[in-house]
Amino acid sequence: MAKMRTVDAAVAILEKEGATEAFGLPGAAINPFYSAMRAHGGIRHTLARHVEGASHMADGYSRAADGNIGICIGTSGPAGTDMITGLYAAQADSIPMLCITGQAPVAKLHKEDFQAVDIESIAKPLTKFAMTILEPGQVPGAFQKAFQLMRSGRPGPVLLDLPIDVQMAEIEFDIDAYEPLPIEKPKASRKQLEKALDLLTAAKHPLIVAGGGIINAGASAQLVELAEILNVPVIPTLMGWGAIPDDHQLMAGMVGLQTSHRYGNETFLQSDFVIGIGNRWANRHTGGLDTYTAGRKFVHIDIEPTQIGRVFSPDLGIASDAGAALDGLLELARERQAAKTLPDYSGWVAECQERKGSLHRKTNFDNVPIKPQRVYQEMNKAFGRDTTYVSTIGLSQIAGAQMLHVFGARKWINAGQAGPLGWTAPAALGVVRGTPDATVVALSGDYDFQFMIEELAVGAQFNLPYIHVVVNNSYLGLIRQSQRGFNMEQNVSLAFENINSPETNGYGVDHIKVAEGLGVKAIRVEDPNDLPAAFDKAKALMGEFKVPVVVEVILEKITNISMGVEINAVNEFEELAETAADAPTAILTKA
């Protein structure tokens, strides 16, 4: 056995567990850990400009590819509290992420020492495991447990807090004798899955709701194969978007109050059976439960047993990893296919395809200032099937989800449940770290963009290129729209006359100057016909300079985006596309 500092043991464990991408800010209370990373050399570190930004970078990295676990590192006190929003975003969407904080010496923890805070208690509600490690000998075991919990059951973040004297203490440790703990995931039995398939095949109009758990399990291919064997349409949730490509004939659209398709909601309302796999019946998906559940039976398969029945009681609940459940369902479906006992759902599929071909929102507007629908139309033209989109919240995200196209798992990276403003830019940088060869395109409104705009400098410093589309209406657009019910527009305008940038024409902040001052390239677009050239230029600048490129699009200030309080009562503010020219990038179907 070798004698070493606990931090040297911890860094060796990170490498053995396969977590080698870190984002953070050094400081006095975490400097021993940084010295261990420097001595080891196997952990790449990206210096953020804000610790919350570092947490979102780690989150984005974790979401970017199967098996990734991003690490966020910060000093004591405010660094830990800055991570809380990042922990919430990861916990809400079942994302594994490791946060490591420095801490005051053990003997000072009750003495209100400088920057000493009980971060363990603060972080516990937002993590699977939070621990201030008080004994040096516990460090290896705490890291071992942290990695097991992050990966077991419903994934999620953890936080480990290291007092500086614990970091400096020496212990006996042999990395060759260290082994990761087994990952625990429930698996559906054959009998459970037989009952689920019996319920499905007894229905006339069945649907599969595909949740983010399928993407977490790396089981998108199994989902598509199962849907094809059964010939049953699929409704992805916002977190499951991409599990089946948008142009697949069985992709029936998204359902919900905001991030939904008209044809998706209409198809859902015609269904009589739903099997949800790896989803959690989020309220923006379901709307009112009486409307959502009326006239249909439900099977719910989820990795977390207490998730089943949390929102409403299904006819059958099964605790299982989504991948294991899909493997089992595939085996049964193949058997029934061979025995020719599967129902023929071709008529139902044809109905769904007809709706998908006729219920598209219009996108082709030539207005100046630009209508947002036109932006997403041009993005569909400019960016290919392999594009990875990153977004968080606001009218930009809602309209983007209604009109953009996603063609694969982890091609839509979205803070779906927490929706923290400012998440998009740092998360996009983490996605670039996780998938350096991908084309990454972020989407923000102006307020989301301003929240953590300083993180653009990280992309410039470390050459992390991506395109950031900023749709600027100089409003808190989603809040303005929600205030319509109160007959007011209170504290939602971002507009002012910028005395230093009169060319902004009253829209306020000059995002071009700010972005360029942070070391990235930026383009402003005011005419919709200039969008294709702007996106081409952005791609060229990104390739030449290897930095983020901002494309700011000046929108009309007031646009109401389709949404409602029930899936059968979504308010549509624009007309339907009547011809192909009204929505030239709409996806109909693909045999």
Side-chain angles (χ1 to χ4, degrees), residues 463-467 521 535-549:
N463 297 119
L464 301 173
Y466 75 96
I467 294 173
K521 292 292 184 178
F535 290 138
D536 286 343
K537 183 178 180 181
K539 286 184 274 190
L541 289 171
M542 186 175 63
E544 180 180 359
F545 295 102
K546 309 299 181 188
V547 298
V549 180

Side-chain angles (χ1 to χ4, degrees), residues 376-576:
Y376 308 115
Q377 174 181 302
E378 298 303 332
M379 289 173 69
N380 285 330
K381 291 180 181 178
F383 303 114
R385 294 180 64 87
D386 292 333
T387 302
T388 299
Y389 290 108
V390 183
S391 190
T392 181
I393 192 61
L395 286 185
S396 54
Q397 175 241 31
I398 293 167
Q402 292 178 7
M403 297 167 199
L404 290 176
H405 304 317
V406 174
F407 297 102
R410 301 190 187 277
K411 300 298 185 185
W412 172 256
I413 309 291
N414 178 239
Q417 171 64 4
L421 286 165
W423 183 89
T424 306
L429 295 169
V431 172
V432 174
R433 273 291 195 223
T435 52
D437 297 326
T439 298
V440 177
V441 178
L443 173 63
S444 289
D446 41 315
Y447 208 43
D448 172 49
F449 185 61
Q450 288 176 23
F451 256 56
M452 304 205 77
I453 197 170
E454 76 282 347
E455 302 305 326
L456 289 175
V458 177
Q461 179 179 355
F462 292 94
N463 297 119
L464 301 173
Y466 75 96
I467 294 173
H468 202 135
V469 179
V470 179
V471 285
N472 180 5
N473 66 350
S474 197
Y475 257 110
L476 311 187
L478 179 57
I479 307 306
R480 181 208 57 76
Q481 186 168 333
S482 71
Q483 286 185 356
R484 292 171 73 245
F486 297 94
N487 296 312
M488 68 178 189
E489 286 188 10
Q490 182 68 28
N491 303 117
V492 292
S493 175
L494 298 171
F496 62 91
E497 294 294 336
N498 190 328
I499 59 173
N500 298 309
S501 298
E503 64 272 24
T504 59
N505 295 315
Y507 273 63
V509 173
D510 189 336
H511 298 115
I512 304 302
K513 286 181 179 177
V514 176
E516 289 177 343
L518 291 165
V520 308
K521 292 292 184 178
I523 304 165
R524 179 179 290 124
V525 184
E526 296 178 296
D527 187 311
N529 296 312
D530 295 336
L531 283 165
F535 290 138
D536 286 343
K537 183 178 180 181
K539 286 184 274 190
L541 289 171
M542 186 175 63
E544 180 180 359
F545 295 102
K546 309 299 181 188
V547 298
V549 180
V550 175
V551 179
E552 180 190 42
V553 184
I554 304 302
L555 299 185
E556 61 184 11
K557 289 189 175 182
I558 303 295
T559 306
N560 293 310
I561 299 298
S562 303
M563 64 183 75
V565 295
E566 296 281 353
I567 59 173
N568 64 349
V570 170
N571 294 318
E572 298 290 342
F573 297 94
E574 307 289 350
E575 62 266 36
L576 274 173

Side-chain angles (χ1 to χ4, degrees), residues 146-220:
F147 277 102
Q148 182 190 40
L149 288 174
M150 276 188 283
R151 293 169 170 147
S152 292
R154 180 182 179 180
V158 302
L159 181 140
L160 295 176
D161 187 40
L162 302 173
I164 190 169
D165 51 339
V166 171
Q167 294 178 60
M168 298 292 287
E170 291 192 336
I171 59 172
E172 296 286 345
F173 181 74
D174 183 355
I175 189 61
D176 292 332
Y178 176 92
E179 293 294 339
L181 293 174
I183 308 306
E184 300 172 0
K185 294 182 179 180
K187 180 180 178 180
S189 70
R190 181 180 175 91
K191 179 176 287 188
Q192 288 175 313
L193 296 177
E194 283 177 340
K195 289 180 179 292
L197 199 53
D198 288 344
L199 285 167
L200 185 153
T201 54
K204 292 182 179 180
H205 297 150
L207 289 174
I208 299 169
V209 168
I214 292 174
I215 292 176
N216 280 348
S220 298

